[in-house]
Amino acid sequence: MPNNFNRLMTIRQNVQDHVGSRVKLKADKGRKKIVVNEGIIESAYPSVFTIVVEGAYEQSRRVSYSYSDILTSTVELTVCEECEQQEII
């Protein structure tokens, strides 16, 4: 259990360090449905973080995920710089 807590804290710190960065978001929505979007990490709170996802026709929406979603591989974040994948959180 303490090992997962440390990993969760590391994930949280990595997300907080990349607030304002462009990321590629890959989320498993269940029933073999995987959604891939690009957006910007808007903010990081103690339990969740929010991403502004760019949609069609210049519309944007906010999505939020918990840090445990990354820990359980439900969500994968990849920091993108100049359209190249640089770092996986």
Side-chain angles (χ1 to χ4, degrees), residues 15 22 26 30 51-54 57 61 64 69 72 75 78:
V15 171
R22 177 170 296 281
K26 183 177 178 182
I51 298 176
V52 176
V53 176
E54 298 143 0
Y57 308 109
R61 60 189 170 95
S64 63
D69 290 333
T72 59
V75 172
T78 306

Side-chain angles (χ1 to χ4, degrees), residues 56-71:
Y57 308 109
E58 297 183 12
Q59 293 179 352
S60 62
R61 60 189 170 95
R62 284 183 182 82
V63 293
S64 63
Y65 296 99
S66 67
Y67 302 109
S68 61
D69 290 333
I70 296 174
L71 181 66

Side-chain angles (χ1 to χ4, degrees), residues 28-43:
D28 183 358
K29 295 291 189 177
R31 293 195 176 257
K32 299 181 183 180
K33 183 176 179 184
I34 296 176
V35 178
V36 178
N37 289 314
E38 285 191 21
I40 298 172
I41 299 176
E42 182 180 38
S43 55

Side-chain angles (χ1 to χ4, degrees), residues 10-34:
T10 302
I11 291 168
R12 181 177 167 195
Q13 186 61 45
N14 284 339
V15 171
Q16 288 176 345
D17 290 344
H18 289 95
V19 169
S21 299
R22 177 170 296 281
V23 293
K24 182 181 235 182
L25 171 71
K26 183 177 178 182
D28 183 358
K29 295 291 189 177
R31 293 195 176 257
K32 299 181 183 180
K33 183 176 179 184
I34 296 176

